[in-house]
Amino acid sequence: MKVRGDILRLYQFLHTWSGITTGMLLFIAFFAGALTMFKEPLAHWVKPMHHQSEVSIEQMQSQLDQVLNEQANAKNQIVVNLDANNNHQPHFTWYPDAKGRTLNLEQQAIYGVIDDNSQLQITYSAPTAFSELVDALHRTGGIPGTNDHGYFGVTIMGLVSIAYFLAIVSGVIVLLPTLVKSLFALRTNKGKSRFWLDSHNILGVTSLPFHIVICFTAIVFAFHDDMYDSMKAAIYGDQPMFQRAKPTQTYPLEQLKSISELKDIALSINPNAQVLDMTFRNLTKPNASVMMSVYDETQTMHGAIADHLIVHPYTGKIQFSSIKPGEGGIWKRIVATFFAAHFGSFGGPYIRWIYFALGLAGAFLFYSGNLLWLEKRKTKPTTSEPNPTQSRSWNNLAKLNIGVCLGAIAGIATCMALSKWLLLFFDNINRDYLTLYYVVFMGAVISAFVWGTYKASKGLLMYSGLLCLSIPITSVLAWLFPSMGMVAPEVLSYYWVDAVVLLFAVVFIRQARKLKQPE
Amino acid sequence: MDKKNKIKPDVLSKTLAGLVFGYLIALALVGLFAWHGYQGISGEHKVQFNMWMITPIWMLTFSFSYLFQSGKKAILTLFSVSVVLHFILYISKASIS
């Protein structure tokens, strides 16, 4: 397709600059985002809560009644785990002080597990926040701090995503003239820069729909509050945007609907669904609710794992459902599709693996984009000057690229590798994660500036590779020497975690060894 | 191609025009859909869908605002379009409610 030269040049310029200014943050977001596809297995891999026996719904019910009667805080919030396949999570989880959904590193949780004698075993413990930390990195790009909308980094990533949208559109426009001719030509024999350009183009075009969806949803996630505010001002005015009459009535605990009654409500909407868990909230207050996670892998789901169904726990009236279109449900269903498209919560585990791969490929896309910038602006050696000095901006970007991208990987690898070891000595290691991550990350950036790109990237790749290698080794040790009290892989999903990390180790170490001193 | 038709880069002014007026255009178009589209203003759960629709319209307007011949033209055109759309939205809202 023909595109005018001046348009092409302008969009080439836009692509370069929107890409180079956002590429590193997007790298972190995509690398961490790929890992969040397996947030649940990762969380339990670090610190599982085992219960082996099958528990009937009647047993669950009688224990739940007892907990609610005896533990005052459980009435504020208690999670009941009903997933029969998930035997590394406690049956009940509640908190001494119920807080909202933020990364609370000091939080203690109370776990209730029904043992083989149908007795409830209660333990106090800090939930390990490793997977939460990875999720926070994904959403903020690692930028610390909060504002009144939540994480400050989310707002920054929203702005980054706007530039990212421009990078996508301009990238496509730039490629249009040569799209058919040379897209799938991976030229390995025409020099380094050609090779990077070709792989950047192939990756970019083949994962285009994925990038459009991720970018579009990320902008909405970052700015939805502001958008609602402006809609109120410009569109709705006095029209109510969200009709919700404030409830006033409270009910006695004895009238609480039973687990199986609540389950039937979910099944009456979708008989093929599976109720994974129920979260009871504010049971003694007028705004009492129970939220069920409803899983059906043949559907596009609203949440990261499952659909949500919120019911009044005493009357059984449905307050919110993202499951099936009822009255006005078409809008909710479409919106659920957007959420599912971002979280990869449709089509079961296959889609999760595909999203995992697409996320990693995305990270590589930004990395290769930065390398392209560097290759293009490199002062080429001439016969009169065989070792030309590079410009300052070139040097700084080259170092920053290595420091930030490899630093994020090294930081995550450090937290993960030390998790099981630190848990031997401390009950709450969540504070250590933040310290470890930022120390390693900053260390990586500094080392890139002190040692230069070659030495730093070789060192950082080797460091991350060896740490990743230590993770499956730790699991083997834990399995060989159970007396150490470390978490050994028992469930299939743990083996997967170890296997994938081993693959990372091989890739990192191989790349580190292959790296050649630049001429 | 003669020099007169060649587009000027004017990156800063076009970016600004695309971001600010692109948003206002998206807001007005979504507003028209909210009031006059399927199920009207009180359609259940339609608010969330409407909010989601702002971003794609906004972003497309923004990323194609560089096609204007100059930054000045981008600002003038996008500004005028958003004023007209908001005016239509305002009038049509008043005629219904």
Side-chain angles (χ1 to χ4, degrees):
Chain A
M1 204 180 122
K2 254 187 131 69
V3 180
R4 270 167 52 179
D6 50 345
I7 295 177
L8 216 56
R9 269 190 300 282
L10 177 56
Y11 275 97
Q12 172 79 59
F13 173 85
L14 293 169
H15 185 72
T16 307
W17 288 101
S18 53
I20 207 75
T21 47
T22 59
M24 285 172 234
L25 282 172
L26 288 171
F27 178 91
I28 299 177
F30 270 70
F31 183 75
L35 298 182
T36 57
M37 280 298 110
F38 299 102
K39 197 175 162 184
E40 296 282 309
L42 270 180
H44 304 307
W45 173 88
V46 176
K47 192 177 185 179
M49 283 273 158
H50 290 285
H51 56 81
Q52 302 298 339
S53 50
E54 284 266 320
V55 176
S56 69
I57 248 180
E58 291 74 31
Q59 272 176 305
M60 294 282 272
Q61 186 66 53
S62 74
Q63 295 294 350
L64 176 67
D65 293 342
Q66 203 184 329
V67 171
L68 287 176
N69 278 320
E70 289 168 5
Q71 305 262 347
N73 283 316
K75 293 186 198 106
N76 294 331
Q77 182 180 335
I78 182 164
V79 183
V80 179
N81 170 23
L82 296 168
D83 184 3
N85 299 320
N86 193 348
N87 66 342
H88 41 273
Q89 245 182 318
H91 295 111
F92 306 105
T93 308
W94 67 99
Y95 300 93
D97 50 343
K99 286 222 176 85
R101 183 184 165 261
T102 45
L103 184 55
N104 178 4
L105 299 175
E106 305 294 351
Q107 193 168 48
Q108 284 277 322
I110 307 172
Y111 296 119
V113 172
I114 301 174
D115 67 11
D116 295 340
N117 305 320
S118 301
Q119 294 299 307
L120 192 68
Q121 302 295 333
I122 291 179
T123 47
Y124 286 73
S125 182
T128 301
F130 174 70
S131 61
E132 293 299 328
L133 177 90
V134 172
D135 191 28
L137 275 179
H138 165 59
R139 288 186 287 149
T140 64
I143 298 167
T146 50
N147 57 15
D148 40 321
H149 286 297
Y151 291 117
F152 175 62
V154 173
T155 313
I156 299 287
M157 289 314 286
L159 296 173
V160 163
S161 301
I162 291 176
Y164 168 33
F165 195 92
L166 183 60
I168 295 173
V169 171
S170 53
V172 172
I173 291 179
V174 169
L175 267 185
L176 280 177
T178 53
L179 198 59
V180 187
K181 216 171 74 203
S182 61
L183 172 65
F184 290 108
L186 185 64
R187 285 158 287 195
T188 47
N189 55 351
K190 283 206 172 166
K192 219 167 165 183
S193 144
R194 215 49 265 182
F195 172 76
W196 284 116
L197 180 64
D198 287 346
S199 43
H200 184 80
N201 290 348
I202 293 177
L203 261 182
V205 171
T206 49
S207 51
L208 188 64
F210 174 75
H211 283 281
I212 292 173
V213 152
I214 294 294
C215 178
F216 153 58
T217 45
I219 296 171
V220 177
F221 291 158
F223 298 121
H224 55 123
D225 286 349
D226 310 284
M227 290 180 186
Y228 279 129
D229 288 348
S230 60
M231 282 168 71
K232 176 92 201 144
I235 301 171
Y236 284 84
D238 299 331
Q239 285 284 328
M241 282 169 74
F242 301 98
Q243 293 113 319
R244 234 175 257 151
K246 272 223 160 110
T248 48
Q249 202 181 348
T250 55
Y251 295 85
L253 210 53
E254 294 75 50
Q255 287 180 26
L256 188 70
K257 290 237 180 276
S258 71
I259 294 176
S260 53
E261 280 172 311
L262 291 168
K263 209 170 162 180
D264 287 342
I265 296 176
L267 296 184
S268 70
I269 303 176
N270 180 0
N272 301 318
Q274 200 189 336
V275 179
L276 299 182
D277 57 50
M278 292 180 184
T279 306
F280 293 87
R281 287 198 184 95
N282 303 320
L283 290 179
T284 52
K285 294 175 192 146
N287 58 344
S289 71
V290 54
M291 185 175 88
M292 296 181 242
S293 300
V294 183
Y295 182 79
D296 178 357
E297 68 175 46
T298 64
Q299 299 285 328
T300 51
M301 289 174 283
H302 188 276
I305 303 290
D307 265 314
H308 300 308
L309 174 66
I310 302 177
V311 173
H312 195 286
Y314 296 97
T315 63
K317 190 172 175 290
I318 294 174
Q319 293 167 328
F320 175 88
S321 156
S322 66
I323 306 177
K324 270 211 170 161
E327 190 97 358
I330 173 161
W331 306 118
K332 232 184 302 186
R333 218 40 248 178
I334 298 173
V335 170
T337 316
F338 298 145
F339 278 90
H342 186 100
F343 295 133
S345 52
F346 58 97
Y350 299 109
I351 294 293
R352 302 205 145 247
W353 282 104
I354 290 172
Y355 264 59
F356 177 70
L358 282 169
L360 291 180
F364 181 75
L365 183 72
F366 305 122
Y367 191 70
S368 63
N370 291 351
L371 288 181
L372 271 174
W373 189 93
L374 292 168
E375 282 295 327
K376 214 170 165 182
R377 276 158 193 76
K378 200 171 180 179
T379 318
K380 300 280 180 311
T382 53
T383 38
S384 58
E385 210 181 350
N387 291 312
T389 43
Q390 304 295 341
S391 72
R392 206 157 132 196
S393 59
W394 192 93
N395 263 316
N396 286 343
L397 190 94
K399 287 168 181 170
L400 211 61
N401 192 33
I402 295 295
V404 169
C405 296
L406 296 184
I409 294 178
I412 295 175
T414 310
C415 294
M416 194 171 173
L418 293 183
S419 281
K420 290 184 177 181
W421 293 97
L422 287 172
L423 273 175
L424 288 181
F425 307 104
F426 309 102
D427 179 52
N428 188 349
I429 57 171
N430 294 337
R431 280 251 163 257
D432 305 321
Y433 281 137
L434 276 188
T435 321
L436 279 172
Y437 176 80
Y438 283 112
V439 165
V440 173
F441 179 78
M442 288 318 292
V445 175
I446 292 168
S447 73
F449 277 88
V450 175
W451 293 340
T453 48
Y454 168 70
K455 260 174 105 178
S457 43
K458 204 171 175 85
L460 286 169
L461 278 170
M462 196 47 105
Y463 170 85
S464 306
L466 290 177
L467 276 176
C468 285
L469 190 63
S470 81
I471 291 167
I473 293 178
T474 302
S475 296
V476 173
L477 282 178
W479 179 71
L480 283 178
F481 305 103
S483 60
M484 287 196 334
M486 224 162 8
V487 179
E490 285 172 38
V491 196
L492 189 65
S493 63
Y494 299 173
Y495 287 109
W496 273 116
V497 171
D498 284 311
V500 170
V501 173
L502 187 63
L503 193 70
F504 275 120
V506 172
V507 171
F508 293 153
I509 293 174
R510 225 180 94 97
Q511 285 303 317
R513 294 180 55 131
K514 261 175 74 177
L515 219 56
K516 292 218 177 64
Q517 175 95 45
E519 319 81 42
Chain B
M1 184 173 48
D2 54 276
K3 220 167 172 189
K4 229 180 96 195
N5 279 328
K6 212 168 166 185
I7 58 168
K8 293 188 197 137
D10 293 346
V11 172
L12 213 66
S13 49
K14 286 180 183 173
T15 305
L16 217 67
L19 281 179
V20 176
F21 301 122
Y23 186 80
L24 291 176
I25 289 172
L27 193 62
L29 287 176
V30 166
L32 288 170
F33 176 76
W35 281 87
H36 309 291
Y38 180 59
Q39 288 189 346
I41 195 71
S42 49
E44 208 187 345
H45 306 294
K46 199 176 150 189
V47 176
Q48 215 188 350
F49 173 80
N50 292 341
M51 186 273 290
W52 276 90
M53 284 303 102
I54 293 177
T55 304
I57 305 173
W58 179 28
M59 283 297 110
L60 286 174
T61 319
F62 161 58
S63 33
F64 289 113
S65 68
Y66 299 94
L67 291 174
F68 284 101
Q69 212 164 55
S70 68
K72 213 155 117 194
K73 266 200 174 156
I75 293 178
L76 271 174
T77 315
L78 293 177
F79 171 74
S80 316
V81 171
S82 59
V83 167
V84 169
L85 285 175
H86 276 278
F87 183 70
I88 297 176
L89 173 64
Y90 180 79
I91 297 290
S92 67
K93 245 164 70 175
S95 69
I96 289 186
S97 56

